[in-house]
Amino acid sequence: MQPRTVAAAAAAVVVALTATGCNIFTPQATLIEYDPSDGVSGKTGTVEFHNATLIGEPEGDALNLSVTFTNAGEATVVEVRYDDQAQQIRVPEGVTTYGFPDQQLVFESGDDLTFGSLQNVSFQADGAEPTGVNVQAISTEFVGYETLGPVEPAAG
């Protein structure tokens, strides 16, 4: 074999290993699950919750839980707990979103609440283990959250 052929083959091997070397030693980043927004996600029973965030007015005493539920099974009841408060909501099959003025989960905030802090919120579907997560409390002064604070229900 000619020295040029051996050198060319060696160079091709080096280029191939260099081009794929990162994937050999480092896990592929697209396979790592993460929450791409301010909220957190989790699962309880057949119900998944996504982008859970507590939003409140700077001088207010209430927080709106903005969250999207995805239910792959039959309609179920989910109990949502914040501090010593609990609300039960019916989550039908499919996607259900809370947090906008027409459908909110409002909780009283404590006197020691600091916006930007993490607050424990738990979710429990019928008969499933409760799933507790640390949810960020965000002020309506933050850009993009101005209209998501708690509102009084419309008089009916």
Side-chain angles (χ1 to χ4, degrees), residues 2-54:
Q2 297 244 344
R4 284 180 153 167
T5 308
V6 172
V13 169
V14 168
V15 168
L17 286 176
T18 302
T20 61
C22 290
N23 246 1
I24 292 173
F25 303 111
T26 306
Q28 192 173 357
T30 56
L31 299 177
I32 300 170
E33 289 188 35
Y34 69 99
D35 291 309
S37 186
D38 295 324
V40 294
S41 301
K43 184 174 182 174
T44 175
T46 62
V47 178
E48 294 180 7
F49 54 92
H50 309 279
N51 203 26
T53 309
L54 290 165

Side-chain angles (χ1 to χ4, degrees), residues 117-144:
S117 66
L118 299 176
Q119 305 294 313
N120 188 288
V121 177
S122 71
F123 300 86
Q124 182 178 15
D126 282 336
E129 286 292 317
T131 301
V133 291
N134 288 321
V135 174
Q136 186 174 16
I138 297 179
S139 168
T140 55
E141 292 178 323
F142 288 31
V143 175

